[in-house]
Amino acid sequence: MLKRLDNEAALILEKKKVYGYDWSKDYLSELEEAFPGVAGNLTVIVDGSKRNRGMLSREGNEVYVNETSWLKEAGRQEAVVLILSDYHREAYGTLCGLLPQFEGDLTVYYFVSRETAIEETYREQYRNQELENIILFRSGPHASSYIKGTDFADNARALFDYMLAEHMNETYELVWLVKNPEEFGRYRDVKNVSFLSFDWSVSENKEERDRYYRVLCLAKYLFFTDAYGFARNSRSDQVRVQLWHGCGFKTRVNFARCEKRYEYTTVISDLYAEIHQDIYGLREDQMLVTGYAKEDWLFHPDREAWERLGLAGAERYIFWLPTFRTAKEGLAQLNEYDLTGQTGLPVLDSYEKLSYLDRLLESLHTELIIKLHPFQDRSRVGRIHMNRIRVLEHETLVDMDLQINRLLGYADGLISDYSSAAVDYMLLDRPMGFTLDDVEEYGNSRGFVFENIRDWLPGKEIFSFEAFCEFVREVGEGRDSTAERRRELKERMHKYGDDRSCKRIVEALGI
């Protein structure tokens, strides 16, 4: 039996050992504030995710986060189970699957956060009202991991741009959930386009809350590229689409079935449809094999922005897009591991190597442009100042309202490692190199979607500084030694090779 934690139930839990289940940091903090006596009785927290485990120190009380097998101890210890997450119904179903006795007379409690309590009120208000012609967009991770620029980007941004170009705002109200709506004044006079703050979900201002929950409760379509928890209580007639970031080489960090968390997800091929079904726990009919919206940008690079960035002086350009290993301060939960060396870069780990490479690039009339992941700690990389090596800052792109795929169309070659950007770039059929000096460590830390990752890399393998320089020479001299391998893999990894992914997404959903 599932029961909501209230003041009456709290009196019971304050006298028992409490086993937390499926927790989140925000929920735990709110529990401590709303029911301090219950929080103080937390004996252990149980979580299926390895990354969430370890010792927690909360208000002087140490609580250990352990694996799900500890739930068996709850019965032996006469403890009570308390769910501490947004998905309490889903978590309860999992509990019943793990231990059938929870379906019987045992009571499992769940704690409702302030945001969920507010949403429940609005959901009830709009329960019998027809959905409106509203399309809701959100990009980027959960609000706690916000970095400027990530909330108006990626596949959701590409699809939004397409809808505007096709004048779909004449029929639909296009609404974005962002951090700071005031940053988007340039759209003020665009018909049926508006920006709301995702922070308004818990705003003290009723007018802000009303605007937020109107679109959340009445939108026909909800598109997002990562965080989907905000749409967890959507109605059955609302369509939620996970556009995601890309089809790449890295596997998912934490497994949770998403079958009921959104209706569809977009992928680039039948191969990746099978992969994403597996790593996200989805059904075959939830896969939209359309190509990714932002891949359309590759075929239409922004020449004006290219020139504004001062990138018009070399004969050839190589972009380097390393995936992140060590996140910025405040995002430590995303860390893979820290790269040693002076620069914080793989392979080019010393300023001496960078200086040598800079001279090589000069001789080839070629420029190397390094664009790091927005989550990456750039404290060391930012000190690089070379004639032919340039670090393209995330903040620069944000200030110019420029997406990286609007630049990659001008790149003569790409260096990557395990980033999905490399899979996108395959569509341009140009030379690619992959830095693999930490492939074993990364595989052990994060893991890959392919059993043998090296069989699926569509380019030159780079294990050393010498191999890095050799790839640079190839691009600088107009050579392409891995063209055949790349084209063979492209046939398997991409179903389409054009600029019509957005069109296919819209048509697949019947918008």
Side-chain angles (χ1 to χ4, degrees), residues 408-426:
L408 286 180
Y410 287 120
D412 298 285
L414 177 72
I415 300 173
S416 183
D417 38 40
Y418 324 113
S419 171
S420 62
V423 180
D424 292 346
Y425 190 76
M426 292 173 72

Side-chain angles (χ1 to χ4, degrees), residues 20-34 39 42 45-47 49 51-53 55-59 63 65 83-87 111-115 142-145 254 329-334:
Y21 177 65
D22 199 28
W23 74 291
S24 73
K25 181 179 179 181
D26 290 342
Y27 261 66
L28 192 52
S29 296
E30 287 199 40
L31 176 70
E32 290 169 341
E33 183 177 347
L42 276 174
I45 296 176
V46 176
D47 199 290
S49 169
R51 290 203 167 200
N52 288 341
R53 295 174 195 160
M55 186 64 71
L56 285 176
S57 295
R58 312 291 300 183
E59 301 293 329
V63 180
V65 182
I83 297 171
L84 297 169
S85 77
D86 296 329
Y87 294 93
F111 172 64
V112 172
S113 68
R114 177 169 175 262
E115 180 177 0
H142 191 275
S144 62
S145 300
N254 298 323
E329 185 177 353
L331 299 175
Q333 74 275 15
L334 302 174

Side-chain angles (χ1 to χ4, degrees), residues 257-272:
R257 290 196 67 86
C258 293
E259 179 182 359
K260 298 180 180 179
R261 299 188 178 188
Y262 42 83
E263 281 63 56
Y264 301 104
T265 189
T266 55
V267 290
I268 63 175
S269 65
D270 294 331
L271 170 68
Y272 272 103

Side-chain angles (χ1 to χ4, degrees), residues 114-171:
R114 177 169 175 262
E115 180 177 0
T116 299
I118 292 171
E119 183 181 352
E120 285 179 349
T121 301
Y122 281 96
R123 288 287 180 187
E124 180 61 25
Q125 174 183 331
Y126 289 110
R127 183 165 59 91
N128 297 319
Q129 189 166 327
E130 288 189 11
L131 298 180
E132 299 180 10
N133 278 353
I134 300 172
I135 298 177
L136 188 60
F137 297 90
R138 181 167 176 175
S139 72
H142 191 275
S144 62
S145 300
Y146 167 76
I147 289 181
K148 186 175 181 180
T150 59
D151 57 344
F152 188 50
D154 217 298
N155 284 310
R157 172 66 184 280
L159 188 60
F160 168 74
D161 286 352
Y162 170 82
M163 289 182 177
L164 279 185
E166 294 296 311
H167 308 291
M168 294 179 65
N169 57 315
E170 297 288 337
T171 304

Side-chain angles (χ1 to χ4, degrees), residues 66-342:
N66 217 321
E67 61 187 17
T68 53
S69 63
W70 271 67
L71 287 170
K72 297 177 182 178
E73 295 295 319
R76 300 190 188 108
Q77 299 290 334
E78 296 184 353
V80 176
V81 175
L82 175 63
I83 297 171
L84 297 169
S85 77
D86 296 329
Y87 294 93
H88 56 269
R89 293 184 184 86
E90 184 178 307
Y92 179 64
T94 303
L95 275 173
C96 293
L98 291 170
L99 296 171
Q101 61 263 40
F102 283 119
E103 270 187 300
D105 297 330
L106 288 179
T107 299
V108 175
Y109 294 88
Y110 67 95
F111 172 64
V112 172
S113 68
R114 177 169 175 262
E115 180 177 0
T116 299
I118 292 171
E119 183 181 352
E120 285 179 349
T121 301
Y122 281 96
R123 288 287 180 187
E124 180 61 25
Q125 174 183 331
Y126 289 110
R127 183 165 59 91
N128 297 319
Q129 189 166 327
E130 288 189 11
L131 298 180
E132 299 180 10
N133 278 353
I134 300 172
I135 298 177
L136 188 60
F137 297 90
R138 181 167 176 175
S139 72
H142 191 275
S144 62
S145 300
Y146 167 76
I147 289 181
K148 186 175 181 180
T150 59
D151 57 344
F152 188 50
D154 217 298
N155 284 310
R157 172 66 184 280
L159 188 60
F160 168 74
D161 286 352
Y162 170 82
M163 289 182 177
L164 279 185
E166 294 296 311
H167 308 291
M168 294 179 65
N169 57 315
E170 297 288 337
T171 304
Y172 288 90
E173 184 181 346
L174 307 182
V175 183
W176 272 90
L177 298 182
V178 295
K179 177 68 173 178
N180 300 307
E182 62 274 12
E183 295 176 356
F184 302 93
R186 59 189 179 277
Y187 289 96
R188 187 176 294 111
D189 297 326
V190 180
K191 182 179 179 180
N192 283 336
V193 172
S194 58
F195 291 78
L196 311 178
S197 175
F198 47 67
D199 290 335
W200 290 356
S201 63
V202 291
S203 174
E204 297 293 341
N205 185 311
K206 185 177 182 300
E207 181 182 349
E208 291 177 345
R209 288 200 314 273
D210 287 349
R211 292 180 65 191
Y212 175 89
Y213 284 107
R214 170 188 163 263
V215 298
L216 183 65
C217 295
L218 296 180
K220 286 185 177 179
Y221 299 94
L222 298 89
F223 291 99
F224 33 86
T225 62
D226 189 346
Y228 47 77
F230 75 98
R232 61 191 176 277
N233 296 316
S234 292
R235 287 164 35 170
S236 60
D237 52 350
Q238 292 182 298
V239 178
R240 299 165 295 180
V241 184
Q242 173 64 280
L243 299 171
W244 204 231
H245 303 301
C247 291
F249 306 106
K250 299 175 288 188
T251 192
R252 189 179 190 181
V253 175
N254 298 323
F255 179 79
R257 290 196 67 86
C258 293
E259 179 182 359
K260 298 180 180 179
R261 299 188 178 188
Y262 42 83
E263 281 63 56
Y264 301 104
T265 189
T266 55
V267 290
I268 63 175
S269 65
D270 294 331
L271 170 68
Y272 272 103
E274 294 181 7
I275 290 171
H276 281 215
Q277 276 181 249
D278 180 45
I279 64 177
Y280 295 104
L282 300 169
R283 304 184 311 273
E284 183 178 357
D285 63 321
Q286 292 180 278
M287 315 307 297
L288 300 181
V289 184
T290 56
Y292 273 148
K294 66 180 178 180
E295 291 177 338
D296 291 358
W297 282 330
L298 293 169
F299 299 92
H300 305 281
D302 190 331
R303 185 66 191 180
E304 180 183 351
W306 185 262
E307 293 176 349
R308 284 169 59 200
L309 286 167
L311 300 176
E315 293 181 9
R316 290 185 176 86
Y317 293 88
I318 302 172
F319 271 68
W320 186 12
L321 307 177
T323 193
F324 84 94
R325 276 94 166 158
T326 306
K328 294 179 176 180
E329 185 177 353
L331 299 175
Q333 74 275 15
L334 302 174
N335 284 352
E336 298 297 342
Y337 48 85
D338 189 15
L339 287 172
T340 58
Q342 295 175 316

